[in-house]
Amino acid sequence: PGSFLVGEGYCMWNYQIKPELKAKLLEGNPLYKFDDAYKAYAYDGRAIQDINIKILKNIPENFRLEYVFKIHGKTIGLYHGYQFEPEKLFYYAKLINKDQIGAWRDVLCFDFGEMADKTVLVATGNKMLYYAFREAVEHRWIAFASAEEGWLIEEIYQSI
């Protein structure tokens, strides 16, 4: 199974999924589609999932800090507002420094290892508090300062 691609300064093994694993994946999710998204990334450098990440250099006008999350040692600010032109946008995410957080604001985290002073662990029972945020992520009504914020927000979305 698989083959090797060899070039000057590299050797890459093209793994092919074993039929047993493929059958097991389809057993757990019969609608799963084996696509070429990873191949496009690995060989062509095209980050297929990153196409959906809206990048804005600056925080949109009239957006205000609503939530602060801590994940993987990074602090990310989630700004909320309303923008309908040029496209619908309700949230903006940006990595921030600790000094940009007001003394009264709690920092939300998902792991005991991230807990520090002024940090609150997000409980699974609080999911309705974040309904608007979840809806914005699902409909792509959110923009990011960079792709890194997009990846972090995707992880946060999975946790709340």
Side-chain angles (χ1 to χ4, degrees):
S3 62
F4 288 93
L5 183 63
V6 180
E8 189 174 319
Y10 69 90
C11 177
M12 188 166 54
W13 178 42
N14 295 307
Y15 176 79
Q16 286 203 327
I17 192 167
K18 294 181 180 177
E20 298 85 10
L21 178 57
K22 192 172 187 175
K24 180 73 173 165
L25 290 171
L26 289 172
E27 178 184 312
N29 181 1
L31 300 177
Y32 183 80
K33 300 237 186 294
F34 294 91
D35 62 17
D36 289 335
Y38 181 75
K39 189 180 351 176
Y41 173 72
Y43 291 108
D44 302 332
R46 288 183 284 144
I48 304 301
Q49 300 299 336
D50 291 355
I51 292 170
N52 294 322
I53 298 177
K54 294 179 193 172
I55 305 293
L56 291 179
K57 186 175 182 179
N58 297 314
I59 300 169
E61 193 174 324
N62 298 321
F63 275 53
R64 300 291 177 252
L65 187 62
E66 184 169 312
Y67 300 116
V68 177
F69 294 104
K70 189 168 184 183
I71 186 166
H72 302 307
K74 298 179 182 192
T75 307
I76 187 165
L78 189 63
Y79 297 79
H80 181 258
Y82 299 95
Q83 174 184 304
F84 295 98
E85 297 294 330
E87 60 185 327
K88 192 184 287 188
L89 192 64
F90 297 134
Y91 285 96
Y92 178 80
K94 176 183 177 181
L95 288 173
I96 59 175
N97 296 321
K98 291 179 185 177
D99 59 333
Q100 294 175 280
I101 304 168
W104 56 271
R105 187 176 299 276
D106 287 330
V107 177
L108 306 169
C109 69
F110 305 95
D111 186 339
F112 281 109
E114 299 276 4
M115 291 196 74
D117 189 36
K118 299 293 295 164
T119 307
V120 177
L121 191 64
V122 175
T124 54
N126 297 1
K127 288 188 178 188
M128 286 308 292
L129 292 173
Y130 310 104
Y131 177 78
F133 164 61
R134 290 179 55 81
E135 188 85 0
V137 172
E138 290 168 8
H139 290 91
R140 301 289 180 191
W141 297 331
I142 183 169
F144 309 94
S146 73
E148 181 179 10
E149 284 91 342
W151 303 325
L152 292 171
I153 288 294
E154 289 289 337
E155 281 193 59
I156 291 168
Y157 171 82
Q158 299 295 328
S159 299
I160 59 173

